[in-house]
Amino acid sequence: MSAQLPVVDAAVEVAPHRKLATVALLICIAVLAVNMVLFVDTGVKAIRYPFEIDYGEGIVWQQALRIASGDAYGGIAQFPAIVFHYPPAFHLISTTTAAMLAMDTLAAGRLVALISTLLTSGFAGLVVFRSMREEAGAVAAAICAVIGGLVILTYWPVLVWAPLMRVDMTATALSLAGVYLGIAALRRPALIHAAALCFVAAVYTKQTSIVAPAATFLTLLLICPKVARAGIVTAVLSGLIVLGALIWWTDGGFVRHIFLYNINRFDAWRLRWIREALETHSLYFGVAAIGVGSQIRSRLPKYRGLSRAAARARLAASPADAAMLLVLVYFLLATAMLITIAKSGSNVNYLIEWLCVLAILVGMAMRDAAIAVTQSAPAAFRRRSANFVLAVILPAAVAVQVVMLPSIPDQRRGPIPELRQLVTLIREAQRPVISDDMVLLLRAGKPVVWEPAIFTELASGGLWDERPFVRLVRARHFAFFVTAGGRGTRLFDARYTPAVADAMDAAYPQKRRLAGYTLHFPAEAN
């Protein structure tokens, strides 16, 4: 008869760290909860703010109005014209929300983005919970999930982007919903179809939302190919149906706008945002590396020496291992996609999905601390009790990181009286106005007839003939221009080609400063 393992009292194993781990986790969750309250409060204030917070909000608002009216993705050869940078999902959700709640469309779009951010946090937490529950127990997994989800609301790119009428947070929420359902499909294969539909919805919110489906289907092809193939078929068929409908509705304009007109030049200067994100959130990266690295090392021995088929079978039988593999693949692919930030027109929104996957890894890294506190894991696992670093230092480091991060910005810019004065000037203008701040145009009841940044990109790439527009400028077809700064500044030079700038100098030589903007008037203007 083989010798039996001695019964190990779990309390003896974890007691040395349990009190300290409890304190560390409580502090960690407390600072995250306070941050969440501040985050929501700031977001609500942004929803109520009637003017621009970000350059892209005005054009997204105008696009939403045009999509809702059925006048979208048209030609750009004639003036006026605007480019549609994104598929229509976010725009339709925003206009529907505005109609249902009798809200201003800008406010509704910001509300959709804020709710999407909270859903992103929730789905990240659900991914952590499902990944940790089997080996850590429900209570410990819930602790990990809360921390992982709330970490998302501390990132400075998320703090900047969450209250904006922009598509990114909605696309990220749909992507993480798909990842969660993809992991759940390991136990309930039918859910892969719901995951596929979430991925398709994410792509038709922001066309570059391909990392989450790529990670999910690649991982599932390794573990359970039949389930993966079913999801891929659903995604491809539903995506093609939507694409066909959009092509028919827009007479092919949808494809031209999304794939031909939506271009940007390479701008290596923007790569600095990756370095800034690494430096600003360095403790999060360290926590994920130490905590998840420890878990990977403990998992690897049971896969050594196995054939590919045997390793696949073992992964399929261990959803926790499969989930961790999927999240790691997701993180690697999201990291590779960071190169796309190096283009003109990009911003810190290109960091958001990558950081959201990092938050999932941070939540997973809390496993040993949560087990030390709850002792909810199976006895065989508790005998490998957490060491001091995993049980105490990691949650404490998360708390320290939250405190060290920049405070939640109040992005309402003002000065409101001057902005209202500028709106009045635009409203009273008898001719069209070109403005970097396109929210001002819509507030004044004027449509956006031309967006500076994208047409500068198209002209630079030879995809748009700027000469007719230059002639309009020289003929003083416009009442005045509103620009962020003047010639020689980075923003101005990125939004106006030399030919357009020369025409503005010749036809609109008078300059005036108002509400932080430069106004360009014809010579005879008072």
Side-chain angles (χ1 to χ4, degrees), residues 105-299:
T105 305
L106 177 62
R110 288 174 177 169
L111 174 63
V112 170
L114 183 65
I115 291 174
S116 296
T117 306
L118 296 174
L119 288 174
T120 298
S121 173
F123 284 121
L126 287 173
V127 170
V128 174
F129 181 79
R130 185 166 283 274
S131 303
M132 297 286 103
R133 182 175 183 177
E134 182 180 74
E135 62 183 18
V139 177
I143 292 172
C144 297
V146 168
I147 293 174
L150 292 183
V151 160
I152 287 176
L153 306 183
T154 70
Y155 294 135
W156 62 264
V158 173
L159 299 180
V160 169
W161 223 254
L164 303 181
M165 188 182 183
R166 300 296 299 267
V167 304
D168 304 86
M169 297 314 307
T170 302
T172 305
L174 289 166
S175 294
L176 289 188
V179 170
Y180 168 71
L181 291 166
I183 292 173
L186 292 166
R187 290 294 195 199
R188 298 173 59 190
L191 289 176
I192 196 62
H193 301 291
L197 293 176
C198 285
F199 292 141
V200 170
V203 168
Y204 282 101
T205 301
K206 185 180 182 182
Q207 63 271 29
T208 56
S209 299
I210 58 173
V211 177
T216 301
F217 291 135
L218 282 173
T219 305
L220 293 181
L221 279 171
L222 172 66
I223 300 170
C224 40
K226 184 177 179 180
V227 173
R229 286 194 293 267
I232 292 170
V233 169
T234 298
V236 171
L237 287 179
S238 58
L240 288 175
I241 290 170
V242 176
L243 179 61
L246 288 170
I247 291 173
W248 173 79
W249 174 53
T250 63
D251 292 325
F254 174 78
V255 173
R256 289 192 296 272
H257 279 256
I258 297 300
F259 298 107
L260 181 60
Y261 300 156
N262 193 7
I263 64 166
N264 298 91
R265 292 165 292 177
F266 182 79
D267 185 1
W269 176 84
R270 297 170 189 271
L271 291 170
R272 67 187 177 90
W273 285 322
I274 300 174
R275 173 181 54 80
E276 289 177 7
L278 287 167
E279 292 174 352
T280 307
H281 306 97
S282 57
L283 288 180
Y284 285 153
F285 284 96
V287 166
I290 294 170
V292 176
S294 172
Q295 294 176 39
I296 292 173
R297 286 193 298 273
S298 69
R299 284 176 162 89

Side-chain angles (χ1 to χ4, degrees), residues 473-502:
V473 176
R474 290 190 177 275
R476 300 179 184 176
H477 177 78
F478 307 102
F480 57 93
F481 285 74
V482 181
T483 66
R487 198 165 188 177
T489 63
R490 183 177 181 84
L491 278 180
F492 185 96
D493 292 345
R495 294 173 182 174
Y496 299 91
T497 65
V500 173
D502 287 343

